[in-house]
């Protein structure tokens, strides 16, 4: 059976709907940075997703392409994730989508080396005929966060965020966006196939002890 990050690391990907504290270790991702409204069908965000998934699935299917990756094991491609920020804002303002600066990313298994990643980018570029120069290999250590499962529309996230901030304060913590820390979302549902009220999104706020 293929290794499923969501199930094996359920504390990271399947939190309860009530906020909780969690310490996140360093993880590696294939990532693309950009800006603008993610809902724009012809915008940079949608273009970034095509690049990300192409590289992620090239690595997943590497044995069929004749690439022998040391330590490889069959796995399910992890879910899409996003780091979000806006200039001049503490956290994010969901009403200002055009001002979003984002990093879209997909987690990589630990056995993927830089050489394997570069091979996958080159192979995906040949197959797709697209410019893959925006893609990067990113290491990100999140540290202490408050996280929660959000159920429903992306536009209703502010209510869940409000509960998360109340919990943060009650735990003697405060949001902390210093040093490149950002609002983090993990998308567990395909919005093209999941009813809005059933969409699952993991929300994370970086925090520090007061």
């Amino acid at each position: 059976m293929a290794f499923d990050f969501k199930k094996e690391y359920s504390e990271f990907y399947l939190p309860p709907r009530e906020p909780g504290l969690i310490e996140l270790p360093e993880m590696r991702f294939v990532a693309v940075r950009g800006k603008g409204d993610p809902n724009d069908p012809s915008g940079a965000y949608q273009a970034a997703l095509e690049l990300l998934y192409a590289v992620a699935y090239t690595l997943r299917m590497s044995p069929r392409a004749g690439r022998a990756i040391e330590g490889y094991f069959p796995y399910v491609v992890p879910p899409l994730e996003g780091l979000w920020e806006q200039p001049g804002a503490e956290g994010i303002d969901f009403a200002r989508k055009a001002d979003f600066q984002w990093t879209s990313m997909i987690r990589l298994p630990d056995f993927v080396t830089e050489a394997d990643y570069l091979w996958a980018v080159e192979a995906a570029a040949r197959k797709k005929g697209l410019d893959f120069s925006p893609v990067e290999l990113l290491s990100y250590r999140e540290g202490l966060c408050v996280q929660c499962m959000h159920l429903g529309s992306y536009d209703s996230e502010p209510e869940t965020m409000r509960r998360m901030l109340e919990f943060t304060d009650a735990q003697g913590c405060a949001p902390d966006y210093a040093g490149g820390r950002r609002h983090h979302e993990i998308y567990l549902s395909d919005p093209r196939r999941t009813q809005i009220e059933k969409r699952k999104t993991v929300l994370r706020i970086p925090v520090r002890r007061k």
Side-chain angles (χ1 to χ4, degrees), residues 142-200:
E142 213 159 4
L144 185 64
C145 294
V146 168
Q147 73 173 7
C148 182
M149 181 70 77
H150 171 75
L151 189 64
S153 168
Y154 303 135
D155 290 334
S156 65
E157 288 181 12
E159 174 56 28
T160 300
M161 290 286 291
R162 181 190 63 77
R163 293 192 294 110
M164 293 172 69
L165 290 171
E166 289 177 351
F167 174 84
T168 298
D169 185 62
Q171 295 298 308
C173 296
D176 180 18
Y177 295 97
R181 306 182 79 195
R182 283 174 281 174
H183 173 82
H184 189 169
E185 300 188 358
I186 304 176
Y187 308 103
L188 301 179
S189 304
D190 185 341
R192 299 168 302 177
R193 302 174 182 175
T194 309
Q195 294 177 334
I196 291 178
E197 63 273 14
K198 295 183 179 180
R199 291 178 186 170
K200 294 181 178 180

Short mmCIF file of all heavy atoms in Angstrom, two decimals, residues 142-200:
data_model
loop_
_atom_site.label_atom_id
_atom_site.label_comp_id
_atom_site.label_asym_id
_atom_site.label_seq_id
_atom_site.Cartn_x
_atom_site.Cartn_y
_atom_site.Cartn_z
N GLU A 142 8.40 25.59 10.44
CA GLU A 142 7.31 26.44 10.88
C GLU A 142 7.34 26.75 12.37
O GLU A 142 6.92 27.82 12.80
CB GLU A 142 5.98 25.76 10.52
CG GLU A 142 4.89 26.72 10.18
CD GLU A 142 3.80 26.05 9.37
OE1 GLU A 142 3.85 24.83 9.12
OE2 GLU A 142 2.87 26.77 8.97
N GLY A 143 7.82 25.81 13.17
CA GLY A 143 7.88 26.04 14.61
C GLY A 143 6.53 25.95 15.28
O GLY A 143 5.63 25.21 14.85
N LEU A 144 6.34 26.76 16.33
CA LEU A 144 5.11 26.71 17.12
C LEU A 144 3.96 27.41 16.38
O LEU A 144 4.10 28.54 15.93
CB LEU A 144 5.34 27.39 18.47
CG LEU A 144 4.18 27.32 19.47
CD1 LEU A 144 3.90 25.88 19.89
CD2 LEU A 144 4.48 28.19 20.69
N CYS A 145 2.83 26.71 16.28
CA CYS A 145 1.66 27.25 15.57
C CYS A 145 0.38 26.86 16.32
O CYS A 145 0.36 25.92 17.11
CB CYS A 145 1.57 26.68 14.16
SG CYS A 145 2.88 27.18 13.04
N VAL A 146 -0.67 27.59 16.01
CA VAL A 146 -2.02 27.17 16.35
C VAL A 146 -2.66 26.72 15.05
O VAL A 146 -2.60 27.42 14.04
CB VAL A 146 -2.84 28.31 16.99
CG1 VAL A 146 -4.31 27.95 17.06
CG2 VAL A 146 -2.31 28.63 18.38
N GLN A 147 -3.25 25.52 15.06
CA GLN A 147 -3.88 25.02 13.84
C GLN A 147 -5.28 24.49 14.14
O GLN A 147 -5.63 24.20 15.28
CB GLN A 147 -3.03 23.93 13.19
CG GLN A 147 -3.03 22.60 13.88
CD GLN A 147 -2.29 21.53 13.05
OE1 GLN A 147 -1.68 21.80 12.03
NE2 GLN A 147 -2.36 20.30 13.51
N CYS A 148 -6.06 24.38 13.06
CA CYS A 148 -7.46 23.99 13.20
C CYS A 148 -7.96 23.52 11.84
O CYS A 148 -7.51 24.00 10.80
CB CYS A 148 -8.26 25.20 13.68
SG CYS A 148 -10.02 24.91 13.97
N MET A 149 -8.89 22.58 11.84
CA MET A 149 -9.54 22.16 10.60
C MET A 149 -10.70 23.10 10.32
O MET A 149 -11.59 23.28 11.16
CB MET A 149 -10.05 20.73 10.71
CG MET A 149 -10.73 20.22 9.43
SD MET A 149 -9.55 19.96 8.09
CE MET A 149 -8.81 18.40 8.61
N HIS A 150 -10.69 23.71 9.13
CA HIS A 150 -11.80 24.56 8.70
C HIS A 150 -12.66 23.77 7.73
O HIS A 150 -12.15 23.14 6.79
CB HIS A 150 -11.28 25.82 8.02
CG HIS A 150 -12.35 26.63 7.36
ND1 HIS A 150 -13.24 27.40 8.07
CD2 HIS A 150 -12.69 26.78 6.04
CE1 HIS A 150 -14.06 28.00 7.24
NE2 HIS A 150 -13.76 27.64 6.01
N LEU A 151 -13.96 23.79 7.93
CA LEU A 151 -14.90 23.09 7.07
C LEU A 151 -15.80 24.10 6.37
O LEU A 151 -16.46 24.92 7.03
CB LEU A 151 -15.76 22.11 7.89
CG LEU A 151 -16.66 21.14 7.12
CD1 LEU A 151 -15.81 20.19 6.27
CD2 LEU A 151 -17.53 20.35 8.09
N GLY A 152 -15.80 24.08 5.05
CA GLY A 152 -16.67 25.00 4.31
C GLY A 152 -15.90 25.86 3.33
O GLY A 152 -14.76 25.56 2.95
N SER A 153 -16.53 26.95 2.94
CA SER A 153 -15.99 27.86 1.94
C SER A 153 -14.70 28.53 2.42
O SER A 153 -14.54 28.81 3.61
CB SER A 153 -17.03 28.94 1.61
OG SER A 153 -16.46 29.99 0.86
N TYR A 154 -13.81 28.82 1.48
CA TYR A 154 -12.61 29.58 1.82
C TYR A 154 -13.00 30.97 2.33
O TYR A 154 -12.32 31.54 3.19
CB TYR A 154 -11.71 29.72 0.59
CG TYR A 154 -11.29 28.40 -0.02
CD1 TYR A 154 -11.34 28.21 -1.40
CD2 TYR A 154 -10.84 27.35 0.77
CE1 TYR A 154 -10.96 27.00 -1.98
CE2 TYR A 154 -10.45 26.14 0.20
CZ TYR A 154 -10.52 25.97 -1.17
OH TYR A 154 -10.14 24.78 -1.73
N ASP A 155 -14.10 31.50 1.82
CA ASP A 155 -14.52 32.85 2.23
C ASP A 155 -15.05 32.90 3.66
O ASP A 155 -15.20 33.98 4.23
CB ASP A 155 -15.60 33.38 1.27
CG ASP A 155 -15.05 33.69 -0.11
OD1 ASP A 155 -13.84 33.97 -0.21
OD2 ASP A 155 -15.81 33.64 -1.09
N SER A 156 -15.34 31.73 4.25
CA SER A 156 -15.81 31.72 5.63
C SER A 156 -14.67 31.45 6.63
O SER A 156 -14.92 31.27 7.83
CB SER A 156 -16.91 30.67 5.81
OG SER A 156 -16.42 29.36 5.60
N GLU A 157 -13.45 31.45 6.14
CA GLU A 157 -12.30 31.21 7.02
C GLU A 157 -12.16 32.24 8.13
O GLU A 157 -11.68 31.90 9.22
CB GLU A 157 -11.01 31.13 6.20
CG GLU A 157 -10.89 29.86 5.39
CD GLU A 157 -9.58 29.79 4.61
OE1 GLU A 157 -8.68 30.61 4.89
OE2 GLU A 157 -9.46 28.92 3.73
N PRO A 158 -12.51 33.52 7.93
CA PRO A 158 -12.33 34.49 9.01
C PRO A 158 -12.99 34.10 10.32
O PRO A 158 -12.45 34.41 11.40
CB PRO A 158 -12.95 35.77 8.43
CG PRO A 158 -12.72 35.65 6.96
CD PRO A 158 -12.91 34.19 6.67
N GLU A 159 -14.12 33.40 10.30
CA GLU A 159 -14.76 32.99 11.54
C GLU A 159 -13.92 31.94 12.27
O GLU A 159 -13.75 32.00 13.49
CB GLU A 159 -16.16 32.43 11.26
CG GLU A 159 -16.86 31.83 12.47
CD GLU A 159 -17.00 32.79 13.64
OE1 GLU A 159 -17.07 34.02 13.41
OE2 GLU A 159 -17.03 32.31 14.79
N THR A 160 -13.36 31.00 11.52
CA THR A 160 -12.47 30.01 12.13
C THR A 160 -11.21 30.69 12.65
O THR A 160 -10.71 30.36 13.73
CB THR A 160 -12.11 28.92 11.11
OG1 THR A 160 -13.30 28.26 10.66
CG2 THR A 160 -11.18 27.88 11.72
N MET A 161 -10.70 31.65 11.90
CA MET A 161 -9.52 32.39 12.33
C MET A 161 -9.81 33.15 13.64
O MET A 161 -8.94 33.25 14.51
CB MET A 161 -9.09 33.36 11.24
CG MET A 161 -8.52 32.68 10.01
SD MET A 161 -6.86 32.04 10.27
CE MET A 161 -5.95 33.57 10.42
N ARG A 162 -11.01 33.68 13.76
CA ARG A 162 -11.36 34.39 15.00
C ARG A 162 -11.26 33.45 16.19
O ARG A 162 -10.71 33.81 17.24
CB ARG A 162 -12.78 34.96 14.88
CG ARG A 162 -13.24 35.75 16.11
CD ARG A 162 -14.72 36.08 16.05
NE ARG A 162 -15.54 34.88 16.05
CZ ARG A 162 -15.81 34.15 17.14
NH1 ARG A 162 -15.30 34.50 18.32
NH2 ARG A 162 -16.58 33.08 17.06
N ARG A 163 -11.80 32.24 16.06
CA ARG A 163 -11.72 31.27 17.15
C ARG A 163 -10.27 30.88 17.45
O ARG A 163 -9.89 30.68 18.60
CB ARG A 163 -12.54 30.02 16.81
CG ARG A 163 -14.04 30.27 16.74
CD ARG A 163 -14.82 28.97 16.68
NE ARG A 163 -14.60 28.20 15.47
CZ ARG A 163 -13.95 27.05 15.41
NH1 ARG A 163 -13.42 26.52 16.52
NH2 ARG A 163 -13.81 26.41 14.26
N MET A 164 -9.46 30.79 16.40
CA MET A 164 -8.06 30.45 16.58
C MET A 164 -7.30 31.53 17.33
O MET A 164 -6.45 31.25 18.19
CB MET A 164 -7.41 30.18 15.21
CG MET A 164 -7.95 28.94 14.51
SD MET A 164 -7.36 28.76 12.81
CE MET A 164 -5.62 28.39 13.09
N LEU A 165 -7.62 32.79 17.04
CA LEU A 165 -6.96 33.89 17.72
C LEU A 165 -7.38 33.97 19.19
O LEU A 165 -6.57 34.28 20.06
CB LEU A 165 -7.27 35.21 17.00
CG LEU A 165 -6.60 35.37 15.63
CD1 LEU A 165 -7.14 36.60 14.91
CD2 LEU A 165 -5.08 35.46 15.77
N GLU A 166 -8.66 33.67 19.46
CA GLU A 166 -9.11 33.63 20.85
C GLU A 166 -8.38 32.53 21.62
O GLU A 166 -7.97 32.72 22.77
CB GLU A 166 -10.63 33.39 20.89
CG GLU A 166 -11.45 34.59 20.43
CD GLU A 166 -12.94 34.30 20.41
OE1 GLU A 166 -13.31 33.10 20.60
OE2 GLU A 166 -13.73 35.23 20.19
N PHE A 167 -8.22 31.38 20.99
CA PHE A 167 -7.51 30.27 21.61
C PHE A 167 -6.04 30.65 21.84
O PHE A 167 -5.46 30.35 22.89
CB PHE A 167 -7.59 29.03 20.72
CG PHE A 167 -6.76 27.87 21.19
CD1 PHE A 167 -7.24 27.00 22.15
CD2 PHE A 167 -5.48 27.66 20.67
CE1 PHE A 167 -6.47 25.92 22.59
CE2 PHE A 167 -4.71 26.60 21.11
CZ PHE A 167 -5.20 25.73 22.08
N THR A 168 -5.44 31.29 20.85
CA THR A 168 -4.04 31.72 20.96
C THR A 168 -3.83 32.58 22.20
O THR A 168 -2.90 32.36 22.99
CB THR A 168 -3.62 32.49 19.70
OG1 THR A 168 -3.73 31.64 18.55
CG2 THR A 168 -2.20 33.02 19.81
N ASP A 169 -4.70 33.55 22.37
CA ASP A 169 -4.59 34.45 23.53
C ASP A 169 -4.80 33.69 24.83
O ASP A 169 -4.09 33.92 25.82
CB ASP A 169 -5.61 35.58 23.39
CG ASP A 169 -5.47 36.62 24.48
OD1 ASP A 169 -4.40 37.26 24.56
OD2 ASP A 169 -6.43 36.78 25.27
N ALA A 170 -5.77 32.78 24.85
CA ALA A 170 -6.05 32.01 26.07
C ALA A 170 -4.90 31.10 26.46
O ALA A 170 -4.75 30.76 27.65
CB ALA A 170 -7.32 31.17 25.87
N GLN A 171 -4.06 30.73 25.49
CA GLN A 171 -2.91 29.88 25.78
C GLN A 171 -1.66 30.69 26.15
O GLN A 171 -0.57 30.12 26.30
CB GLN A 171 -2.60 29.01 24.55
CG GLN A 171 -3.69 28.01 24.21
CD GLN A 171 -3.94 27.02 25.32
OE1 GLN A 171 -3.01 26.38 25.80
NE2 GLN A 171 -5.19 26.90 25.74
N GLY A 172 -1.83 31.99 26.29
CA GLY A 172 -0.68 32.83 26.63
C GLY A 172 0.27 33.03 25.46
O GLY A 172 1.47 33.22 25.66
N CYS A 173 -0.27 32.99 24.26
CA CYS A 173 0.54 33.15 23.04
C CYS A 173 0.05 34.35 22.24
O CYS A 173 -1.02 34.91 22.51
CB CYS A 173 0.48 31.89 22.18
SG CYS A 173 1.18 30.42 22.95
N ALA A 174 0.83 34.72 21.24
CA ALA A 174 0.46 35.81 20.34
C ALA A 174 0.88 35.45 18.93
O ALA A 174 1.88 34.74 18.74
CB ALA A 174 1.14 37.11 20.77
N PRO A 175 0.15 35.90 17.91
CA PRO A 175 0.58 35.66 16.53
C PRO A 175 1.98 36.22 16.31
O PRO A 175 2.33 37.27 16.86
CB PRO A 175 -0.47 36.42 15.70
CG PRO A 175 -1.67 36.49 16.58
CD PRO A 175 -1.14 36.62 17.98
N ASP A 176 2.76 35.53 15.50
CA ASP A 176 4.15 35.93 15.28
C ASP A 176 4.50 35.75 13.81
O ASP A 176 4.76 34.64 13.35
CB ASP A 176 5.08 35.10 16.16
CG ASP A 176 6.54 35.46 15.97
OD1 ASP A 176 6.82 36.54 15.44
OD2 ASP A 176 7.40 34.63 16.36
N TYR A 177 4.51 36.85 13.07
CA TYR A 177 4.81 36.81 11.64
C TYR A 177 6.21 37.33 11.34
O TYR A 177 6.53 37.66 10.20
CB TYR A 177 3.77 37.61 10.86
CG TYR A 177 2.39 37.00 10.94
CD1 TYR A 177 1.45 37.48 11.86
CD2 TYR A 177 2.03 35.94 10.13
CE1 TYR A 177 0.19 36.91 11.95
CE2 TYR A 177 0.77 35.37 10.21
CZ TYR A 177 -0.14 35.86 11.12
OH TYR A 177 -1.39 35.29 11.21
N ALA A 178 7.07 37.38 12.36
CA ALA A 178 8.44 37.84 12.17
C ALA A 178 9.28 36.76 11.49
O ALA A 178 8.97 35.57 11.55
CB ALA A 178 9.06 38.21 13.52
N GLY A 179 10.34 37.20 10.84
CA GLY A 179 11.29 36.25 10.26
C GLY A 179 10.74 35.40 9.13
O GLY A 179 11.18 34.26 8.94
N GLY A 180 9.79 35.93 8.39
CA GLY A 180 9.26 35.19 7.24
C GLY A 180 8.18 34.19 7.57
O GLY A 180 7.76 33.41 6.71
N ARG A 181 7.70 34.18 8.83
CA ARG A 181 6.60 33.27 9.18
C ARG A 181 5.29 33.81 8.59
O ARG A 181 5.07 35.02 8.55
CB ARG A 181 6.49 33.13 10.70
CG ARG A 181 7.78 32.71 11.36
CD ARG A 181 7.59 32.55 12.86
NE ARG A 181 6.94 31.28 13.17
CZ ARG A 181 6.40 30.99 14.35
NH1 ARG A 181 6.38 31.90 15.31
NH2 ARG A 181 5.85 29.81 14.57
N ARG A 182 4.43 32.90 8.13
CA ARG A 182 3.23 33.34 7.42
C ARG A 182 2.02 32.47 7.74
O ARG A 182 2.15 31.36 8.24
CB ARG A 182 3.50 33.32 5.90
CG ARG A 182 4.33 34.49 5.42
CD ARG A 182 4.68 34.34 3.96
NE ARG A 182 5.79 33.42 3.77
CZ ARG A 182 6.23 33.02 2.58
NH1 ARG A 182 5.63 33.45 1.48
NH2 ARG A 182 7.25 32.20 2.48
N HIS A 183 0.87 33.01 7.42
CA HIS A 183 -0.38 32.26 7.48
C HIS A 183 -0.25 31.06 6.54
O HIS A 183 0.20 31.19 5.40
CB HIS A 183 -1.55 33.16 7.06
CG HIS A 183 -2.84 32.44 6.93
ND1 HIS A 183 -3.64 32.15 8.01
CD2 HIS A 183 -3.50 31.95 5.83
CE1 HIS A 183 -4.73 31.51 7.60
NE2 HIS A 183 -4.67 31.39 6.29
N HIS A 184 -0.69 29.90 7.01
CA HIS A 184 -0.47 28.65 6.26
C HIS A 184 -1.80 27.91 6.09
O HIS A 184 -2.58 27.82 7.04
CB HIS A 184 0.51 27.79 7.07
CG HIS A 184 1.01 26.57 6.34
ND1 HIS A 184 2.06 25.81 6.80
CD2 HIS A 184 0.61 25.98 5.18
CE1 HIS A 184 2.28 24.81 5.97
NE2 HIS A 184 1.41 24.89 4.98
N GLU A 185 -2.04 27.41 4.89
CA GLU A 185 -3.23 26.62 4.62
C GLU A 185 -2.85 25.34 3.90
O GLU A 185 -1.93 25.33 3.07
CB GLU A 185 -4.24 27.42 3.78
CG GLU A 185 -4.70 28.70 4.46
CD GLU A 185 -5.84 29.39 3.72
OE1 GLU A 185 -6.26 28.88 2.65
OE2 GLU A 185 -6.33 30.41 4.22
N ILE A 186 -3.56 24.25 4.22
CA ILE A 186 -3.38 22.97 3.54
C ILE A 186 -4.74 22.54 2.99
O ILE A 186 -5.71 22.46 3.74
CB ILE A 186 -2.83 21.90 4.50
CG1 ILE A 186 -1.52 22.36 5.14
CG2 ILE A 186 -2.62 20.58 3.75
CD1 ILE A 186 -0.98 21.40 6.18
N TYR A 187 -4.79 22.27 1.70
CA TYR A 187 -6.06 22.04 1.01
C TYR A 187 -6.28 20.53 0.84
O TYR A 187 -5.67 19.90 -0.01
CB TYR A 187 -6.06 22.76 -0.32
CG TYR A 187 -5.70 24.22 -0.15
CD1 TYR A 187 -4.42 24.68 -0.48
CD2 TYR A 187 -6.61 25.12 0.41
CE1 TYR A 187 -4.07 26.00 -0.27
CE2 TYR A 187 -6.26 26.44 0.61
CZ TYR A 187 -4.99 26.88 0.27
OH TYR A 187 -4.64 28.18 0.50
N LEU A 188 -7.16 19.98 1.66
CA LEU A 188 -7.41 18.54 1.66
C LEU A 188 -8.50 18.13 0.67
O LEU A 188 -8.65 16.94 0.40
CB LEU A 188 -7.81 18.09 3.07
CG LEU A 188 -6.77 18.37 4.17
CD1 LEU A 188 -7.31 17.89 5.52
CD2 LEU A 188 -5.44 17.70 3.86
N SER A 189 -9.24 19.08 0.15
CA SER A 189 -10.36 18.78 -0.75
C SER A 189 -10.12 19.41 -2.12
O SER A 189 -9.61 20.53 -2.22
CB SER A 189 -11.68 19.31 -0.17
OG SER A 189 -11.91 18.78 1.11
N ASP A 190 -10.50 18.70 -3.16
CA ASP A 190 -10.45 19.24 -4.51
C ASP A 190 -11.70 20.11 -4.72
O ASP A 190 -12.82 19.59 -4.74
CB ASP A 190 -10.43 18.09 -5.52
CG ASP A 190 -10.26 18.57 -6.96
OD1 ASP A 190 -10.51 19.76 -7.23
OD2 ASP A 190 -9.88 17.74 -7.81
N PRO A 191 -11.53 21.44 -4.85
CA PRO A 191 -12.70 22.31 -4.98
C PRO A 191 -13.54 22.05 -6.23
O PRO A 191 -14.70 22.43 -6.28
CB PRO A 191 -12.09 23.72 -5.01
CG PRO A 191 -10.69 23.52 -5.48
CD PRO A 191 -10.27 22.19 -4.93
N ARG A 192 -12.95 21.35 -7.20
CA ARG A 192 -13.70 21.04 -8.42
C ARG A 192 -14.66 19.88 -8.21
O ARG A 192 -15.60 19.72 -8.98
CB ARG A 192 -12.73 20.69 -9.55
CG ARG A 192 -11.75 21.80 -9.94
CD ARG A 192 -10.66 21.27 -10.82
NE ARG A 192 -9.92 20.18 -10.18
CZ ARG A 192 -8.95 19.49 -10.77
NH1 ARG A 192 -8.60 19.76 -12.02
NH2 ARG A 192 -8.31 18.53 -10.12
N ARG A 193 -14.42 19.08 -7.15
CA ARG A 193 -15.20 17.87 -6.96
C ARG A 193 -15.89 17.80 -5.60
O ARG A 193 -16.64 16.85 -5.35
CB ARG A 193 -14.27 16.65 -7.10
CG ARG A 193 -13.56 16.57 -8.44
CD ARG A 193 -12.56 15.44 -8.46
NE ARG A 193 -11.84 15.37 -9.73
CZ ARG A 193 -10.85 14.54 -9.99
NH1 ARG A 193 -10.47 13.68 -9.05
NH2 ARG A 193 -10.24 14.55 -11.16
N THR A 194 -15.65 18.77 -4.74
CA THR A 194 -16.19 18.73 -3.38
C THR A 194 -17.18 19.86 -3.17
O THR A 194 -16.89 21.01 -3.51
CB THR A 194 -15.05 18.86 -2.34
OG1 THR A 194 -14.03 17.90 -2.64
CG2 THR A 194 -15.57 18.63 -0.93
N GLN A 195 -18.34 19.55 -2.63
CA GLN A 195 -19.32 20.58 -2.33
C GLN A 195 -18.71 21.59 -1.35
O GLN A 195 -17.94 21.22 -0.46
CB GLN A 195 -20.58 19.96 -1.73
CG GLN A 195 -21.34 19.07 -2.69
CD GLN A 195 -22.54 18.41 -2.02
OE1 GLN A 195 -22.57 18.22 -0.82
NE2 GLN A 195 -23.54 18.09 -2.82
N ILE A 196 -19.08 22.84 -1.52
CA ILE A 196 -18.45 23.91 -0.74
C ILE A 196 -18.54 23.64 0.76
O ILE A 196 -17.55 23.80 1.49
CB ILE A 196 -19.11 25.27 -1.07
CG1 ILE A 196 -18.76 25.68 -2.51
CG2 ILE A 196 -18.65 26.34 -0.09
CD1 ILE A 196 -19.40 26.97 -2.95
N GLU A 197 -19.68 23.20 1.23
CA GLU A 197 -19.86 23.01 2.67
C GLU A 197 -19.06 21.83 3.21
O GLU A 197 -18.91 21.69 4.43
CB GLU A 197 -21.34 22.83 3.01
CG GLU A 197 -21.99 21.60 2.41
CD GLU A 197 -22.54 21.83 1.00
OE1 GLU A 197 -22.18 22.85 0.38
OE2 GLU A 197 -23.33 20.98 0.55
N LYS A 198 -18.49 21.01 2.32
CA LYS A 198 -17.73 19.84 2.76
C LYS A 198 -16.22 20.00 2.54
O LYS A 198 -15.46 19.07 2.85
CB LYS A 198 -18.23 18.60 2.03
CG LYS A 198 -19.66 18.22 2.38
CD LYS A 198 -20.07 16.93 1.67
CE LYS A 198 -21.50 16.55 2.04
NZ LYS A 198 -21.92 15.30 1.36
N ARG A 199 -15.79 21.13 2.04
CA ARG A 199 -14.36 21.33 1.81
C ARG A 199 -13.60 21.39 3.13
O ARG A 199 -14.01 22.06 4.07
CB ARG A 199 -14.12 22.63 1.04
CG ARG A 199 -14.60 22.59 -0.40
CD ARG A 199 -14.38 23.92 -1.07
NE ARG A 199 -14.96 23.95 -2.40
CZ ARG A 199 -15.08 25.04 -3.13
NH1 ARG A 199 -14.63 26.21 -2.67
NH2 ARG A 199 -15.64 24.99 -4.32
N LYS A 200 -12.46 20.70 3.18
CA LYS A 200 -11.63 20.68 4.38
C LYS A 200 -10.31 21.40 4.12
O LYS A 200 -9.61 21.08 3.16
CB LYS A 200 -11.35 19.24 4.82
CG LYS A 200 -12.58 18.48 5.29
CD LYS A 200 -12.22 17.08 5.74
CE LYS A 200 -13.44 16.34 6.26
NZ LYS A 200 -13.09 14.96 6.69
#
